[in-house]
């Protein structure tokens, strides 16, 4: 398999490092998981299968081997050091939980093994006000602005189960380590990375952070399945089943109203924009909700496909398990737990077609070694494409060229990350159809004032890239694109699956131009899906993933947890996928096609519930803000208006410290409350006691007092709060960048670092067609006269066309 030349050792216990290592195992790496005699603590994490196995551990660890090292053994350090010195990548989760791992001198090992790639994860990094905080998945997400906007207006904010930060951070960790492995194929030393789990979660928050920077402090919790700035974007009941609805553009709103026979709403000029519809939510819902209940979710889905409306049935976990397409594509795979229980879980979402991932596997018992029949062969220090030894200070992906046809958030986040890591990313737009995150308003005032150059969200997603405009519908533009692709390593697009093939840029064409080209299509459902033509946004992907059915309380509808959750998740999975394919291409000279289905990428977050339901057959319980393992656990009101804090007690000692702090020493000494199950019987009483304490304190004060006694707690932040977060400021996470039309503005850093400071942002996002001359002349050798002729013909340009200008060009081309 593509990564079978790599050996990975995983130490400590954290979901982030476990998932990072599992992504290597998916593609054939020999992953050795080091555990204490009692096993990784995550083996005891709920939810548990009927046989008592952790479904979360199973998802994170199948296809690995387990090595038991007892810290009390006199030879423990020698054994562990020997294991690490024989590996290529060391993934270290000890800062999250040491899991009784023997103390080892990493610096000395790296000195002896300079090619070792090292990744260490921590909740918040080693410096800053939050460094050393006790944390859980939910307290981190609370601080990251991912909880406060979800749930009923009156509160408390709602949150998803505890299976998110580990997946997000694991993806970032894999990106760091895999890009290092790509760089190493040029020769040179290994790299040492630190990973902040908190900062990893901000990949989901950054869009709303920067919308708040532009629009001000407007975002508030406005009800279950309601989110600023668009409406309706939510989940609604039908005659049978639930339906996810997303209407963003005026055309989608008009088609939605037509579908439901609501011409009065369709024709109301005050309802054209989503922000205006938000002001009349209740009135609008009173009209369309009864109409939705006249047909089933599947029937509405079929109607939506015809009308190009982003709507999708919201599946139960049982529906996912019966979905033959998900199984055929490897989105749901079989696993063997504990040697006897057979179940299903979420598979690899990096859908490489020539070098596919493993389709399921076995979860190792403590100390169990697994043999996969792979022959471990180290690649040579300098692969055939190398020009020699790596220069000092060279970025991991320097020398890699990416052609970026993507727009919006998901694809541009993938390519932005490649650019941040040093790749030369050339973004291709057209003056006829620029990136929609520049804005879709074609009225003269918007175009003439160049408002399309002033959108912060576009700048956020497209820094460190170069940009060219090409009209791909005309032969000259298409020919120039092909010339660029002939010299590229990677091409990324997130159009509907048929767009590039219809233009003559399908993989069957491009592979003849450039056999080593890695091409990724990031569609909603996948190129061979029966739903391949479905329109989708990030919200659609969450709605269709199964995740909403496990969020909230039993009486709630399925609950969305984020307005555009699926976009960032798709982007990070896409980046991971192209790095695997790039490794193969650089080793063999053979590129391949990646068929990434963004909806499948969201299924990872429901993986434990998929496993439990596949074995036990019972629908997964919905805990609301409670937790299957930690008691107490919840979001508690603080002093002031709409101020909240997430608090969790993860073990008996933390519970005793919490009880003592809130003035209930009797609870701390009560033997019947020592266990989580004992506390669960009086959870209502405990929660009232905690809230009586938090209500007398500002949220930040409460967090300070709780963290002072090492109780996991995190203030429920709004996205706008992150722009002035003291921890992020101390770590220089937000970098100031200057750009034409905007001036100085902040940019989020990557959560992975090679030193104490983040990677510097080299260039601001490009203006439309900013690098036309540089690329056409410097890369393709066109003369000034040739470039001027292209501009006169509208094949290239630097100014977006207005609606009238676009209509004129359509008429000319059709004539």
């Amino acid at each position: 398999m593509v990564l079978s030349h790599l050996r990975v050792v995983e130490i400590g216990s954290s979901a982030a490092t476990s998932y990072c290592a599992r992504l290597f195992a998916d593609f054939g790496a020999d992953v050795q998981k080091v555990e204490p005699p009692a096993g990784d603590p995550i083996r005891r994490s709920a939810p548990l299968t009927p046989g008592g196995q952790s479904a979360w551990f199973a998802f994170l660890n199948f296809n690995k081997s387990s090595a038991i090292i007892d810290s009390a053994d006199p030879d423990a350090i020698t054994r562990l050091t020997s294991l690490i010195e024989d590996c290529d990548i060391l993934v270290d989760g000890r800062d999250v939980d040491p899991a009784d791992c023997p103390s080892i001198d990493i610096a000395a090992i790296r000195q002896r093994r300079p090619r070792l790639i090292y990744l260490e994860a921590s909740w918040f990094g080693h410096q800053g006000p939050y460094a050393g905080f006790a944390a859980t998945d939910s307290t981190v997400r609370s601080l990251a602005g991912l909880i406060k906007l979800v749930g009923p207006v009156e509160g408390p904010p709602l949150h998803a189960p505890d299976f998110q930060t580990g997946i997000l951070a694991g993806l970032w960790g894999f990106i760091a380590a895999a890009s290092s492995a790509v760089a190493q194929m040029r020769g040179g030393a290994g790299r040492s990375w630190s990973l902040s789990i908190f900062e990893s979660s901000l990949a989901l928050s950054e869009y709303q952070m920067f919308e708040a920077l532009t629009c001000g402090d407007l975002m508030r919790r406005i009800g279950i399945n309601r989110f600023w700035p668009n409406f309706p974007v939510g989940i609604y009941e039908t005659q049978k089943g639930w339906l996810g609805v997303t209407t963003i553009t005026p055309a989608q709103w008009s088609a939605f109203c037509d579908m439901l026979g609501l011409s009065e709403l369709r024709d109301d000029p005050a309802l054209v924009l989503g922000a205006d519809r938000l002001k009349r939510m209740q009135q609008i819902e009173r009209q369309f909700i009864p109409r939705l209940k006249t047909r089933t979710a599947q029937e509405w889905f079929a109607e939506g496909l015809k009308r190009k409306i982003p709507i999708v049935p919201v599946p139960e976990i049982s529906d996912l398990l019966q979905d033959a397409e998900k199984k055929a594509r490897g989105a749901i795979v079989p696993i063997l737990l504990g040697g006897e229980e057979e179940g299903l879980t979420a598979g690899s979402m990096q859908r490489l077609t020539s070098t596919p991932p493993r389709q399921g596997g076995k979860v190792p018992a403590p100390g169990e070694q697994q043999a996969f029949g792979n022959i471990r062969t180290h690649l040579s220090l300098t692969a055939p494409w190398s020009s020699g030894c790596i220069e000092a200070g060279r970025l991991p992906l320097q020398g890699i060229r990416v052609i970026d046809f993507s727009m919006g958030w998901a694809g541009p986040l993938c390519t932005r990350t490649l650019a941040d890591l040093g790749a030369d990313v050339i973004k291709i737009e057209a003056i006829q159809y620029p990136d929609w995150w520049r804005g879709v308003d074609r009225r003269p005032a918007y175009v003439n004032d160049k408002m399309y150059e002033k959108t912060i969200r576009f700048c956020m997603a497209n820094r460190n890239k170069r940009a060219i405009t090409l009209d791909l519908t005309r032969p000259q533009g298409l020919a120039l694109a092909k010339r660029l692709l002939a010299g590229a390593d990677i091409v990324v697009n997130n159009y509907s699956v048929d767009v590039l093939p219809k233009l003559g840029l399908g993989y069957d064409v491009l592979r003849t131009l450039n056999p080593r080209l890695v091409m990724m299509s990031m569609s909603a459902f996948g190129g061979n899906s029966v739903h391949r033509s479905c329109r989708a946004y990030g919200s659609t992907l969450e709605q269709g993933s199964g995740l909403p059915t496990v969020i909230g309380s039993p009486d709630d509808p399925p609950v969305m947890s984020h307005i555009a959750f699926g976009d960032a998740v798709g982007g990070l999975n896409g980046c991971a996928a192209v790095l695997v394919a790039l490794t193969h291409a650089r080793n063999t000279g053979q590129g391949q096609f990646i068929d990434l289905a963004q909806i499948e990428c969201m299924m990872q977050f429901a993986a434990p519930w998929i496993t439990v339901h596949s074995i036990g057959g019972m629908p997964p319980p919905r805990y609301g803000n409670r937790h299957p393992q930690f008691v107490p656990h919840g979001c508690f009101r603080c002093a002031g208006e709409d101020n909240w804090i997430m608090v969790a007690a993860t073990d008996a000692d933390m519970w005793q410290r919490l009880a003592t702090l809130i003035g209930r020493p009797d609870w701390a000494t009560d033997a019947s409350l020592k266990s989580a199950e004992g506390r669960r019987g009086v959870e209502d009483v405990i929660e009232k006691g905690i809230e009586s304490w938090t209500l007398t304190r500002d949220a930040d004060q409460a967090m300070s007092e709780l963290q002072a006694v090492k109780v996991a707690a995190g203030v429920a932040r709004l996205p706008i709060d992150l722009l002035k977060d003291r921890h992020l400021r101390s770590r220089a996470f937000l970098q100031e960048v200057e750009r034409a039309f905007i001036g100085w503005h902040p940019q989020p850093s990557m959560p992975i670092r090679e030193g104490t400071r983040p990677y510097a942002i080299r260039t601001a996002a490009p203006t439309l067609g900013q690098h036309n001359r540089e690329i056409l002349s410097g890369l393709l050798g066109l003369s000034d006269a040739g470039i001027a002729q292209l501009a006169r013909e509208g094949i290239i340009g630097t100014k977006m066309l207005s609606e009238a200008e676009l209509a004129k060009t359509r008429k000319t081309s059709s004539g």
Side-chain angles (χ1 to χ4, degrees), residues 141 367 585:
R141 281 187 285 129

Side-chain angles (χ1 to χ4, degrees), residues 33-81:
K33 181 180 184 66
V34 175
E35 303 185 73
D40 184 335
I42 299 177
R43 286 186 182 273
R44 299 179 283 281
S45 293
L48 302 178
T49 67
Q53 305 290 317
S54 168
W56 182 221
F57 180 88
F59 167 75
L60 295 172
N61 292 287
F62 67 89
N63 285 328
K64 299 179 184 178
S65 292
S66 169
I68 297 297
I69 295 184
D70 187 347
S71 60
D73 183 340
D75 295 327
I77 293 176
T78 301
R79 286 185 58 212
L80 182 57
T81 300

Side-chain angles (χ1 to χ4, degrees), residues 149 207-209 211-212 216-221 228 718-719:
L149 292 176
Y207 165 69
Q208 289 176 309
M209 286 169 62
E211 286 298 284
D217 190 10
L218 298 178
M219 296 181 208
R220 293 292 181 271
R221 195 172 53 260
W228 184 93
L718 288 170

Side-chain angles (χ1 to χ4, degrees), residues 510-527:
L510 299 186
R511 68 192 299 185
T512 63
L513 294 175
N514 182 353
R516 63 186 177 84
L517 184 68
V518 172
M519 182 177 191
M520 181 167 68
S521 169
M522 299 175 63
S523 62
F525 285 83

Side-chain angles (χ1 to χ4, degrees), residues 403-700:
I403 305 301
D404 182 8
F405 288 110
S406 69
M407 298 187 180
W409 190 4
L413 175 61
C414 166
T415 53
R416 183 191 86 183
T417 305
L418 297 172
D420 287 349
L421 290 166
D424 176 21
V425 176
I426 299 176
K427 184 178 181 70
I428 297 184
E429 302 175 82
I431 58 173
Q432 296 83 2
Y433 298 104
D435 189 320
W436 58 73
W437 260 23
R438 291 186 185 271
V440 294
D441 192 336
R442 292 185 177 274
R443 291 173 294 185
Y446 189 90
V447 173
N448 293 336
D449 290 345
K450 293 204 169 183
M451 297 303 294
Y452 55 89
E453 295 291 10
K454 301 175 185 179
T455 53
I456 294 288
R457 64 178 179 267
F458 174 84
C459 296
M460 174 196 84
N462 291 284
R463 63 168 184 243
N464 287 335
K465 302 177 185 179
R466 297 194 287 171
I468 186 173
T469 50
L470 289 174
D471 184 352
L472 299 176
T473 66
R474 296 164 73 183
Q476 302 99 312
L478 186 63
L480 290 168
K482 286 182 176 179
R483 289 180 63 188
L484 287 173
L485 289 161
D489 300 285
I490 298 166
V491 58
V492 174
N493 87 88
N494 62 344
Y495 300 143
S496 297
V497 292
D498 294 326
V499 170
L500 284 184
K502 284 181 179 177
L503 289 169
L505 293 173
Y507 181 62
D508 57 336
V509 174
L510 299 186
R511 68 192 299 185
T512 63
L513 294 175
N514 182 353
R516 63 186 177 84
L517 184 68
V518 172
M519 182 177 191
M520 181 167 68
S521 169
M522 299 175 63
S523 62
F525 285 83
N528 62 356
S529 170
V530 294
H531 304 314
R532 65 199 300 271
S533 60
C534 178
R535 298 298 175 96
Y537 291 98
S539 49
T540 318
L541 306 173
E542 182 180 6
Q543 291 160 354
S545 69
L547 179 61
T549 63
V550 300
I551 301 174
S553 301
D555 296 333
D556 290 332
V559 177
M560 288 171 60
S561 63
H562 199 272
I563 182 61
F565 198 162
D567 282 308
V569 171
L572 294 177
N573 275 278
C575 186
V578 296
L579 289 172
V580 175
L582 184 63
T583 301
H584 176 72
R586 290 312 194 185
N587 189 33
T588 65
Q590 295 299 311
Q592 63 182 296
F593 182 72
I594 303 171
D595 178 24
L596 189 93
Q598 292 188 60
I599 200 164
E600 294 172 359
C601 298
M602 286 297 303
M603 291 169 55
Q604 302 159 332
F605 299 99
W609 306 115
I610 292 172
T611 299
V612 170
H613 190 57
S614 72
I615 298 173
M618 295 295 291
R622 300 176 73 187
Y623 288 89
N625 280 349
R626 290 178 174 175
H627 194 277
Q629 183 176 357
F630 306 143
V631 183
H633 183 281
C635 198
F636 300 95
R637 191 184 296 272
C638 297
E641 184 181 350
D642 199 34
N643 291 323
W644 303 83
I645 187 168
M646 280 293 311
V647 181
T650 62
D651 56 39
D653 290 340
M654 190 178 290
W655 155 248
Q656 290 175 332
R657 296 194 298 272
L658 171 61
T660 302
L661 177 67
I662 66 172
R664 293 302 303 260
D666 55 319
W667 286 354
T669 56
D670 188 334
S672 69
L673 300 180
K674 188 172 183 179
S675 71
E677 287 312 306
R679 297 191 294 275
R680 200 176 295 282
V682 290
E683 201 161 4
D684 286 335
V685 176
I686 291 172
E687 288 172 350
K688 287 176 183 175
I690 295 171
E691 191 146 283
S692 294
W693 183 84
T694 58
L695 274 169
T696 65
R697 288 158 172 80
D698 171 80
D700 276 279

